[in-house]
Amino acid sequence: MSKEQLHEIVSEMREELQGLSDYIYENPELGLNEYKSSQAHVDLLRKHGFDVEYPYLGFDTAFKATFDSGKEGPTVAYLSEYDALPGIGHGCGHNMLGTVDTGAGIALSKVVGEVGGRVVVLGTPAEETDGVKVDMANVDTFDDVDVALCTHPSDQNLMSNVSLAMEALEFEFFGKTAHAAGAPWEGINALDAAINMFNMVNAGRQQLRPDARVHGIIVEGGVAANIIPEYTRVQFYVRSLDINYLQKVKDMVIRSAEAASSAAGTTMKFRNFEKTYYNMITNQKLSDTYNANAADLGIEMIDAGEDLSGSIDMGNVSQVVPSIHSYYEITDGVPTAGHTVEFREATRTEFGYKAMMRTVEILARTGFDVITKPELLAEINEEFNKIEKVN
Ligand SMILES: [Zn+2]
Ligand SMILES: [Zn+2]
């Protein structure tokens, strides 16, 4: 058995995989409501002999699909996403994203009978909002997994790299209403607290590292200009390249809220309004293996350095198991931002389908390498054990 044989196996799946991507494109569903999309993935995986837990971890639209060769060997996990965006449907291309990862799992399952090991495909809802990969990383989902792979459609072929750790903070300020002209001295102005907070955060930025990001809005700022506001609510996202430094950024924002509240005479409460995403730690050895397989199929992966500025829930996975999250081009040389109609449409082009099939093969070949080269997996683990993870 050689990994070149995966080419034939993958080629035969074109119709099925294109069908899956198109079906999900036509049925866009928001995070945690991906009923049709997850069902379509599960149906295909079951058809190809996977054992599927669905729903999984208490999430209706999550699943864990396993194909066990019954022989000794490593476990390779592929992570599928299939949530859409409000208004523009699959503007992030998750119809194709999930199809590629599920497709790679199916392709690899066709050879493990011979080479050993296990293949896991995880259906991971709500990447755009409240990513379920976070919950999976917090429990035992990856305990029996050796490597985790996910790859995202894009307008460039980008190596797996970094992503920003991110925390979502909401602050509420409680004051007292008064007539703003008749008796303002009787009021306690909760809007002052909110505005003071923004000014303090803006001053505090000067002492932050360049990779830190702090951005917020006033969600509720009062109800009428002639009433001293008794209640205001603000939301901030704080981000940085590592979760430990993020704590410092977060502390600055919380101190600003406390001081602003104290100055205005209000009381203050805060909470996390979404899950915390950890920074992505790329396993370089695993990434090198992926990049080499891409090169074998004629794709030169680009090293974008630490330019990527978003946050992904794969970050949490990368803290518990050696992981990669790369990008593959589907836009035929046309620079196209994600979360647009143009990007969505690129998932329905011949160029996009070809990139999709090639990426399935690259992922499957990478899994094949992990299973068949014990020395490679040893190096992957050695690197993973050395990295600085969440404190
Ligand atoms: Zn996405
Ligand atoms: Zn997105």
Side-chain angles (χ1 to χ4, degrees), residues 38 53-56 59-64 82 123-125 132 136:
S38 56
E53 265 186 81
Y54 174 60
Y56 179 62
F59 294 97
D60 281 351
T61 60
F63 63 83
K64 182 177 189 181
Y82 30 72
T124 67
V132 170
M136 293 179 176

Side-chain angles (χ1 to χ4, degrees), residues 54-97:
Y54 174 60
Y56 179 62
L57 287 187
F59 294 97
D60 281 351
T61 60
F63 63 83
K64 182 177 189 181
T66 306
F67 190 98
D68 194 339
S69 69
K71 292 185 188 169
E72 282 287 292
T75 299
V76 175
Y78 298 101
L79 278 69
S80 286
E81 299 168 11
Y82 30 72
D83 57 324
L85 294 162
I88 55 168
H90 278 291
C92 207
H94 293 182
N95 53 320
M96 192 170 264
L97 189 160

Side-chain angles (χ1 to χ4, degrees), residues 52-373:
V52 188
E53 265 186 81
Y54 174 60
Y56 179 62
L57 287 187
F59 294 97
D60 281 351
T61 60
F63 63 83
K64 182 177 189 181
T66 306
F67 190 98
D68 194 339
S69 69
K71 292 185 188 169
E72 282 287 292
T75 299
V76 175
Y78 298 101
L79 278 69
S80 286
E81 299 168 11
Y82 30 72
D83 57 324
L85 294 162
I88 55 168
H90 278 291
C92 207
H94 293 182
N95 53 320
M96 192 170 264
L97 189 160
T99 299
V100 162
D101 290 282
T102 289
I106 293 170
L108 188 60
S109 77
K110 305 295 177 194
V111 302
V112 291
E114 202 166 318
V115 299
R118 294 190 319 149
V119 186
V120 168
V121 177
L122 292 165
T124 67
E127 200 282 329
E128 298 286 359
T129 48
D130 228 8
V132 170
K133 291 190 199 72
V134 175
D135 304 87
M136 293 179 176
N138 285 344
V139 295
D140 59 356
T141 301
F142 297 98
D143 285 4
D144 58 356
V145 168
D146 290 282
V147 293
L149 302 96
C150 184
T151 182
H152 198 299
S154 170
D155 63 349
Q156 289 183 86
N157 293 303
L158 299 176
M159 295 179 187
S160 183
N161 212 302
V162 296
S163 70
L164 296 174
M166 178 185 81
E167 208 164 324
L169 300 168
E170 179 174 274
F171 298 85
E172 293 176 289
F173 299 101
F174 302 90
K176 184 172 176 288
T177 53
H179 193 294
W185 51 85
E186 284 176 9
I188 299 172
N189 195 327
L191 183 59
D192 282 346
I195 291 171
N196 289 344
M197 180 186 175
F198 273 81
N199 288 330
M200 287 178 175
V201 166
N202 287 337
R205 285 178 201 283
Q206 192 184 359
Q207 274 65 53
L208 296 181
R209 276 185 356 200
D211 59 292
R213 299 284 183 276
V214 183
H215 42 101
I217 58 166
I218 297 178
V219 182
E220 291 181 66
V223 289
N226 61 2
I227 305 171
I228 299 296
E230 68 168 340
Y231 174 76
T232 53
R233 182 162 66 94
V234 306
Q235 289 183 340
F236 278 89
Y237 286 98
V238 295
R239 308 188 200 226
S240 88
L241 269 175
D242 73 82
I243 193 78
N244 299 323
Y245 185 68
L246 187 68
Q247 189 60 46
K248 293 208 167 81
V249 182
K250 178 184 166 182
D251 287 346
M252 183 276 280
V253 173
I254 292 170
R255 285 197 312 273
S256 298
E258 286 167 349
S261 180
S262 169
T266 58
T267 56
M268 187 273 285
K269 274 202 310 208
F270 74 92
R271 66 178 189 113
N272 285 74
F273 68 96
E274 283 170 5
K275 289 171 193 160
T276 297
Y277 283 10
Y278 295 166
N279 52 296
M280 176 75 203
I281 300 174
T282 288
N283 187 279
Q284 205 47 55
K285 198 72 212 169
L286 184 60
S287 179
D288 290 347
T289 307
Y290 180 94
N291 299 339
N293 281 307
D296 285 348
L297 297 184
I299 295 298
E300 212 51 63
M301 298 297 288
I302 300 164
D303 183 355
E306 295 190 342
D307 271 358
L308 300 175
S309 54
S311 303
I312 50 176
D313 63 353
M314 191 70 187
N316 298 55
V317 176
S318 75
Q319 305 263 353
V320 298
V321 65
S323 301
I324 58 167
H325 183 280
S326 53
Y327 295 84
Y328 58 96
E329 193 216 330
I330 62 166
T331 57
D332 202 2
V334 183
T336 312
H339 292 205
T340 61
V341 169
E342 291 75 17
F343 192 76
R344 179 190 75 198
E345 292 310 308
T347 69
R348 300 263 278 179
T349 58
E350 187 54 27
F351 186 92
Y353 293 132
K354 282 202 175 120
M356 171 177 91
M357 297 311 294
R358 194 190 305 114
T359 309
V360 169
E361 190 175 341
I362 296 168
L363 279 174
R365 281 172 173 243
T366 305
F368 185 91
D369 283 338
V370 170
I371 289 176
T372 56
K373 296 178 181 165

